[in-house]
């Protein structure tokens, strides 16, 4: 396994005129090739802040983020786009683009516009649509697809971008249980087949426990990264929600209502 992204004593948060708000500190995370890694934590704990910081959108308060051993802030935009793809939940601006054209946007770090796609670019776009199981939607327009289908289109776009690391912020939000499971399984299959590392934040903890290679758990006290079975046995899930109404059942490997 190759290490793709690493954080070193990373402190994340926000600076304003009123002062500094630290969201999490001393983060030493490792994202390795071929791994499906989920990021979990209660609302407002700082998952998006962490994802924005490791992708170079937001500056760390202190510490470092290394992508393929080079500090992420030292990447030029084009080079960064060849190493890291990011899928956010925000809706895309309305457009007349077809699904094929949306996925083809993933090739922009290698080409300029849809018209100038090379034969290899077109092949990569088709391959990405095949992997994401959306080939049948290729000629549909952006406004003709559902939120769940759009999630898959955005994943295909990230696949077409063909980067060793793909990061997604809550990709399962709009999906029903069946589609959540199929998306989790799809992401898992992709990490196994392509050796890419996929990191994504999610509130679907039960599924994450069953399907992740590793999980990063954010609580106010600590942030830990390990395999789900180790996190269960060392009690890490017990601190996730401090509420008497919800407890983690280590034997069942899931949360139950008390
Ligand atoms: N631009 C900002 N300036 C200051 N504080 C911010 C900013 N954006 C977010 N925060 C605060 O940082 C904390 C972490 O927010 P973040 O969005 O990272 O949490 P999250 O774990 O992704 O939450 P959720 O699960 O609800 O999406 C919150 O307390 C939030 O209010």
């Amino acid at each position: 396994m190759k290490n793709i992204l690493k954080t070193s004593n990373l402190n994340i948060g926000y600076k304003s005129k009123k002062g500094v708000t630290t969201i999490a500190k001393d983060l030493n995370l490792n994202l390795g090739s071929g791994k499906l890694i989920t990021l979990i934590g209660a609302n407002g704990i700082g998952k998006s802040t962490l994802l924005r910081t490791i992708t170079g959108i937001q500056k760390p308060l202190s510490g470092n983020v290394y992508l393929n051993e080079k500090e992420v802030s030292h990447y030029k935009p084009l080079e960064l786009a060849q190493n890291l793809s990011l899928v956010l939940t925000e809706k895309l601006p309305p457009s007349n683009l077809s699904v094929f054209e949306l996925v083809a946007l993933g090739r922009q770090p290698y080409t300029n516009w849809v018209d100038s796609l090379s034969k290899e670019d077109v092949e990569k776009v088709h391959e990405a649509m095949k992997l994401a199981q959306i080939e049948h939607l290729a000629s549909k327009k952006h406004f003709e697809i559902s939120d769940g289908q759009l999630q898959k289109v955005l994943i295909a776009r990230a696949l077409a971008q063909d980067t060793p690391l793909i990061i997604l912020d809550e990709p399962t939000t709009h999906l029903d249980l069946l589609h959540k499971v199929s998306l989790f399984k799809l992401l898992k299959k992709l990490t196994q087949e392509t050796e890419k590392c996929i990191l994504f934040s999610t509130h679907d903890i039960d599924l994450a426990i069953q399907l992740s290679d590793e999980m990063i758990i954010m609580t106010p006290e600590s942030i830990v990264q390990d395999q789900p079975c180790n996190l269960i046995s060392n009690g890490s899930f017990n601190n996730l929600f401090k509420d008497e109404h919800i407890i983690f059942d280590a034997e069942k490997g899931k949360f139950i209502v008390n």
Side-chain angles (χ1 to χ4, degrees), residues 14-15 21 23 41-50 52 58 169-170 201 203 218:
Y14 300 91
K15 276 186 191 160
T21 311
I23 301 289
N43 282 138
I45 195 79
K47 298 178 297 297
S48 301
T49 307
L50 175 60
R52 280 199 298 270
Q58 184 171 336
D169 198 1
E170 297 194 25
S201 59
H203 289 291
M218 290 184 88

Side-chain angles (χ1 to χ4, degrees), residues 2-241:
K2 187 172 159 273
N3 186 281
I4 298 180
L5 187 138
K6 185 176 147 162
T7 67
S8 168
N9 301 326
L10 182 69
N11 289 354
I12 60 171
Y14 300 91
K15 276 186 191 160
S16 70
K17 282 179 198 149
K18 285 187 202 151
V20 176
T21 311
T22 301
I23 301 289
K25 55 185 183 181
D26 293 328
L27 301 181
N28 291 293
L29 304 169
N30 283 293
L31 309 182
S33 61
K35 296 251 184 276
L36 183 67
I37 305 175
T38 45
L39 172 62
I40 63 162
N43 282 138
I45 195 79
K47 298 178 297 297
S48 301
T49 307
L50 175 60
L51 296 183
R52 280 199 298 270
T53 311
I54 64 174
T55 50
I57 294 175
Q58 184 171 336
K59 278 198 183 137
L61 293 178
S62 63
N64 305 86
V65 179
Y66 298 102
L67 176 61
N68 292 319
E69 298 184 3
K70 178 169 150 181
E71 174 68 49
V72 77
S73 58
H74 294 170
Y75 278 81
K76 298 211 167 72
L78 189 66
E79 190 195 3
L80 188 62
Q82 291 171 352
N83 282 279
L84 171 79
S85 46
L86 181 61
V87 180
L88 299 172
T89 32
E90 283 125 64
K91 290 218 166 177
L92 298 176
S95 74
N96 237 340
L97 293 180
S98 68
V99 164
F100 179 90
E101 287 164 338
L102 282 172
V103 177
L105 289 177
R107 298 303 297 164
Q108 268 187 334
Y110 309 94
T111 176
N112 280 321
W113 184 238
V114 178
D115 285 345
S116 62
L117 289 178
S118 68
K119 197 167 160 247
E120 191 201 342
D121 290 323
V122 174
E123 272 167 21
K124 291 261 184 197
V125 174
H126 281 296
E127 196 185 310
M129 288 199 300
K130 191 170 170 208
L131 282 166
Q133 298 159 357
I134 53 158
E135 282 168 303
H136 60 292
L137 301 174
S139 56
K140 288 239 183 221
K141 294 285 184 192
H142 178 187
F143 56 81
E144 291 174 325
I145 57 173
S146 73
D147 286 346
Q149 288 170 332
L150 181 62
Q151 292 283 17
K152 286 192 175 185
V153 171
L154 297 181
I155 290 167
R157 188 181 67 180
L159 288 170
Q161 204 175 323
D162 200 16
T163 55
L165 178 60
I166 301 178
I167 294 183
L168 309 99
D169 198 1
E170 297 194 25
T172 51
T173 308
H174 297 293
L175 308 180
D176 62 43
L177 182 61
L178 181 67
H179 286 90
K180 278 182 204 246
V181 173
S182 93
L183 185 73
F184 260 85
K185 290 204 152 189
L186 167 68
L187 296 176
K188 175 104 180 165
K189 191 165 147 248
L190 292 173
T191 55
Q192 289 166 339
E193 286 180 3
T194 62
E195 276 299 295
K196 290 179 193 300
C197 174
I198 300 182
L199 168 69
F200 69 101
S201 59
T202 180
H203 289 291
D204 294 305
I205 303 174
D206 294 352
L207 288 177
I209 288 174
Q210 293 176 68
L211 289 162
S212 313
D213 294 309
E214 292 175 10
M215 296 174 80
I216 299 171
I217 304 186
M218 290 184 88
T219 68
E221 289 75 32
S222 67
I223 296 186
V224 287
Q225 175 181 5
D226 209 333
Q227 293 171 15
C229 54
N230 296 339
L231 293 166
I232 291 174
S233 57
N234 66 24
S236 294
F237 290 102
N238 302 338
N239 304 322
L240 201 54
F241 306 109

